[in-house]
Amino acid sequence: DGTHIAIQPPYGEETDYFNYKKFHSVIALAVVNSNLKFTYLNVGAPGRCNDASVYNRSTLAEIIRNPIYSQHRLTIGQIDIQAHLVGDSAFPLSQHLMKPFPERLPMPQNQSIFNYRLSYCRCTVERAFGHLKNRFRLLHKKLEFDLDHIKLIIKAAFILHNICVDARDSVEIEWNQTPPMHKKPACPIQTTTATRLRDEMCQYFIQNPL
């Protein structure tokens, strides 16, 4: 997922850093594991960018295509579903990145179950971002530094977060701020192969309930 960190934008580039949430920011695109540790970080894209464009231009999009991931797969029928990333509707659908079906009413049961299972898995990245910002509360505020220094501050916070997780440091949940909800721009890009894989996963989740 990606999260926006509020900043004082560089002079003359205010438009580029103004995001859909109506403030200036840089984007931190990250991947987390089940322990809430960050395993990948791309930071510094202007807030005007969407998650899909940041992902497509990042090294992550290339890394996840490494053949090593195809060695870890689940076979459903005659289709191999390889290890992949899980994202929200802001990302493109591909065999390397699964995203939910568009929400609509009424929604087929198999698609609804798929979205629930994906959300159940994906909530770890939301929790990780929450823990990160609760540990380092300056990330809740506007960073008024040189842009290069801002990137270093954010990277340092992510690294220290991982150290805190390893040390089993507690997080002050009570301090948590509930951010206002904003509808994320959805990405319509998808491949035929990815659509077929997602449909097969729907059937698998129907046959293998939690």
Side-chain angles (χ1 to χ4, degrees):
D1 199 7
T3 187
H4 288 266
I5 309 294
I7 67 164
Q8 179 67 39
Y11 181 74
E13 300 181 48
E14 292 84 357
T15 301
D16 289 338
Y17 287 86
F18 195 68
N19 64 40
Y20 72 95
K21 298 181 179 182
K22 309 302 181 185
F23 64 86
H24 297 97
S25 67
V26 292
I27 299 171
L29 178 73
V31 178
V32 301
N33 63 19
S34 59
N35 295 323
L36 305 187
K37 287 181 64 175
F38 293 101
T39 58
Y40 176 89
L41 175 64
N42 178 300
V43 62
R48 185 180 179 183
C49 299
N50 56 49
D51 287 347
S53 65
V54 177
Y55 169 74
N56 287 331
R57 289 182 294 175
S58 71
T59 56
L60 178 61
E62 180 181 349
I63 290 170
I64 196 61
R65 291 185 177 91
N66 190 299
I68 192 172
Y69 293 104
S70 64
Q71 298 173 20
H72 301 274
R73 59 186 180 272
L74 172 69
T75 301
I76 303 177
Q78 297 182 345
I79 296 179
D80 288 337
I81 299 176
Q82 71 172 62
H84 54 265
L85 296 168
V86 172
D88 61 18
S89 60
F91 292 92
L93 175 67
S94 74
Q95 67 186 91
H96 307 105
L97 194 157
M98 283 290 141
K99 61 183 280 186
F101 288 95
E103 293 288 343
R104 66 183 190 276
L105 293 175
M107 194 169 191
Q109 182 188 24
N110 61 338
Q111 294 184 9
S112 180
I113 290 174
F114 177 89
N115 281 7
Y116 172 78
R117 295 283 288 268
L118 185 139
S119 176
Y120 187 84
C121 177
R122 203 189 66 80
C123 70
T124 55
V125 70
E126 301 286 357
R127 291 175 57 207
F129 282 145
H131 286 195
L132 170 79
K133 293 181 179 181
N134 283 352
R135 285 189 168 111
F136 305 102
R137 298 173 190 174
L138 83 166
L139 299 181
H140 279 297
K141 303 176 182 180
K142 181 167 66 174
L143 300 181
E144 300 181 353
F145 306 102
D146 177 83
L147 189 57
D148 287 337
H149 290 164
I150 287 173
K151 293 177 185 178
L152 288 175
I153 290 169
I154 296 171
K155 289 177 182 178
F158 275 79
I159 292 169
L160 290 170
H161 165 88
N162 281 359
I163 293 173
C164 289
V165 172
D166 285 338
R168 299 186 179 181
D169 175 65
S170 60
V171 183
E172 294 185 44
I173 303 297
E174 299 79 10
W175 195 87
N176 188 43
Q177 295 183 352
T178 302
M181 297 298 294
H182 297 86
K183 185 173 178 55
K184 235 181 195 181
C187 176
I189 300 173
Q190 59 186 40
T191 65
T192 302
T193 299
T195 301
R196 184 164 51 89
L197 293 178
R198 187 169 63 176
D199 289 341
E200 289 296 330
M201 292 178 71
C202 279
Q203 294 305 116
Y204 178 82
F205 289 151
I206 286 283
Q207 296 166 7
N208 299 270
L210 288 174

